[in-house]
């Protein structure tokens, strides 16, 4: 079975992206912005453009032929299990998703890798454009993950094209600033990562950024005990504590960020305080909570001096 036609992948991912951008204008989830949306979106698109070129030059020439090679030689776990196609594809997709969870954790835990992933996290607001704003260095390094995924799982060209289309659409979805009807999202986030769930991962509060690492299925956070759903979106301050100013995250700063001198710890504000959540939250971390009207969005978490 051949891969999905390129035009179809492009139409699905592009359609999802455009749909989300329109919904963001009609039903914004987190209100109030740290800078004009258009300027921030253009910056994110410029970052994404550089990354897209880097991926076309490095990852694509390696990964796409490798999926054909794996298919011909019947390499990888799903090939050894002799699964029928209708089972092979979903099993491979689930395994791809789990390896991506572990990869994401590594980009937070290993200081050298965090230098690159930080570029994604220092966005002071979050919307669908944040989904494509990754430093080109992180995208080039993700070739290593993809090669490992293809070889160990046995990812065919068909599975790989479905995976890329799904992943791009899902990442755009969970970064988007769309207020889904709360009851629908509370149900949906049991299965896949949703905007409110991923918003918590972009908080400046250390315990909150160290949660919700899943990119597709929520089950990995649940299994690893890293799921946190009990923070209302209007209690969140987004970004990385050491970079609270727009001037710190303009395009040239983003490009050089992994190679520049790093703050002692990214989780401390420049004034030496650490953001932490003072207000009481509902105790059940596994239950999504709605926005509460009494707290303003830009009300940053209280601070304590170290
Ligand atoms: Zn992250």
């Amino acid at each position: 079975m051949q891969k999905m036609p390129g035009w179809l992948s492009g139409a699905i991912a592009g359609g999802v992206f455009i749909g989300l951008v329109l919904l963001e204008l009609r039903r914004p989830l987190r209100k109030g912005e740290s800078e004009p949306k258009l300027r921030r979106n253009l910056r994110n698109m410029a970052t994404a453009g550089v990354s897209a070129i880097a991926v076309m030059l490095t990852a694509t020439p390696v990964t796409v032929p490798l999926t054909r090679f794996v298919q011909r030689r019947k390499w990888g776990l799903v090939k050894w299990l002799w699964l029928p196609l209708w089972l092979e594809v979903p099993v491979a997709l689930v395994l791809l998703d789990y390896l991506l969870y572990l990869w994401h954790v590594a980009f937070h835990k290993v200081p050298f890798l965090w230098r690159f992933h930080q570029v994604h996290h220092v966005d002071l607001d979050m919307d669908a454009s944040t989904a494509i704003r990754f430093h080109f260095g992180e995208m080039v390094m993700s070739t290593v993950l993809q090669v490992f995924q293809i070889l160990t799982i046995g990812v065919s060209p068909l599975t790989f094209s479905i995976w890329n289309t799904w992943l791009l659409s899902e990442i755009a979805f969970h970064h988007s600033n769309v207020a889904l009807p709360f009851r629908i999202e509370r149900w949906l986030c049991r299965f896949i990562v949703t905007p409110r769930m991923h918003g918590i991962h972009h908080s400046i509060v250390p315990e909150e950024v160290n949660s919700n690492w899943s990119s597709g299925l929520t089950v990995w956070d649940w299994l690893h005990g890293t799921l946190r759903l009990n923070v209302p979106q209007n209690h969140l301050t987004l970004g990385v504590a050491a970079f609270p100013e727009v001037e710190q995250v303009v395009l040239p700063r983003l490009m050089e960020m992994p190679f520049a001198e790093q703050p002692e710890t990214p989780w401390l504000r420049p004034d030496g305080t650490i953001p932490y959540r003072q207000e009481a939250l509902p105790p059940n971390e596994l239950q999504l909570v709605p926005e509460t009207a009494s707290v303003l969005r830009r009300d940053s978490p209280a601070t304590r001096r170290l």
Side-chain angles (χ1 to χ4, degrees), residues 104 108 114 117 120-121 198 201-202 209 213:
H104 188 189
H108 276 259
W114 170 254
H117 191 56
H120 173 67
H121 273 268
H198 198 71
H201 176 66
H202 277 256
V209 72
W213 275 305

Side-chain angles (χ1 to χ4, degrees), residues 176-190:
S176 75
N177 193 31
V178 174
L180 295 180
F182 179 73
R183 286 155 67 100
I184 291 178
E185 183 163 350
R186 190 166 59 186
W187 173 82
L188 190 61
C189 74
R190 289 189 214 158

